[in-house]
Amino acid sequence: MSLPPSPRPLRGPRRRSLLASAAGAALLVGCTGGSDSDASGTGPSAADRARARAARDSEALAGRYAAVIAAHPGLAERLGPLREEVVRHAEAFGGERVASPGASSAASSAASPAASASVSPSVSARAAGPAARDAGAIPADEKGALGMLADAERKLADRRAGALLDVPGETARLLASVAAAGAAHVFLLTEGDG
């Protein structure tokens, strides 16, 4: 005998999806430590370069999320947690904290005076990336905007997965964890598209 379908309408991420994202975040936290730098001191190591690029990529992706949220405020509840996770990815790679869209600087400075002192005024402009500065890059319909974000997440996850063989252990684990989280984001962004 099968169980009747749930009377609750299916909106937002499912419990299984959230658990997968939480597991990815837990792996991310466990992978942020140690040093992968060269002993030669002749410049940034491959790991340092990979981390810097990954931080920039995550900051740019957070900017895309912010631009979509600004263009489609109805998606803010769905996209806000994903954007915050992308911001945490950037921080894990050594990037700077990016303020949430719509959050006032007074609220953030009241909440954490030390944090606001360390964030430069250019952080939000840098994190906004080209997609946020070019309002025409955001599709006018919500489904198209979600598709654009899913495509950006997919490409970034694929690029990070491809870079795993070129970096040492700790950085590779961090890249793998964030690539897996990106793949989960793709699923969440395309969930319900049929």
Side-chain angles (χ1 to χ4, degrees), residues 65 78-87 153 185 188-189:
Y65 273 97
R78 181 176 180 183
L79 298 180
L82 298 177
R83 182 189 180 279
E84 286 303 313
E85 195 168 306
V86 170
V87 169
E153 285 270 17
H185 287 186
L188 293 171
L189 289 167

Side-chain angles (χ1 to χ4, degrees), residues 31-36 51 170:
C31 293
T32 58
S35 175
D36 290 330
R51 289 175 80 94
E170 200 63 33

Side-chain angles (χ1 to χ4, degrees), residues 51 55-56 59 87 89-97 126:
R51 289 175 80 94
R56 284 190 310 271
E59 289 170 348
V87 169
H89 296 164
E91 290 173 348
F93 286 119
E96 297 182 33
R97 177 78 180 161
R126 182 180 74 232

Side-chain angles (χ1 to χ4, degrees), residues 47-63:
D48 291 339
R49 288 189 306 273
R51 289 175 80 94
R53 179 177 180 184
R56 284 190 310 271
D57 289 345
S58 290
E59 289 170 348
L61 184 59

Side-chain angles (χ1 to χ4, degrees), residues 31-151:
C31 293
T32 58
S35 175
D36 290 330
S37 60
D38 279 342
S40 64
T42 59
S45 67
D48 291 339
R49 288 189 306 273
R51 289 175 80 94
R53 179 177 180 184
R56 284 190 310 271
D57 289 345
S58 290
E59 289 170 348
L61 184 59
R64 284 181 167 231
Y65 273 97
V68 169
I69 291 170
H72 301 286
L75 294 174
E77 186 176 332
R78 181 176 180 183
L79 298 180
L82 298 177
R83 182 189 180 279
E84 286 303 313
E85 195 168 306
V86 170
V87 169
R88 285 190 298 272
H89 296 164
E91 290 173 348
F93 286 119
E96 297 182 33
R97 177 78 180 161
V98 182
S100 297
S104 69
S105 60
S108 64
S109 64
S112 175
S116 63
S118 67
V119 176
S120 69
S122 66
V123 169
S124 59
R126 182 180 74 232
R133 288 188 293 268
D134 181 14
I138 306 301
D141 64 319
E142 289 184 355
K143 187 173 182 176
L146 291 172
M148 179 202 68
L149 284 174
D151 187 51

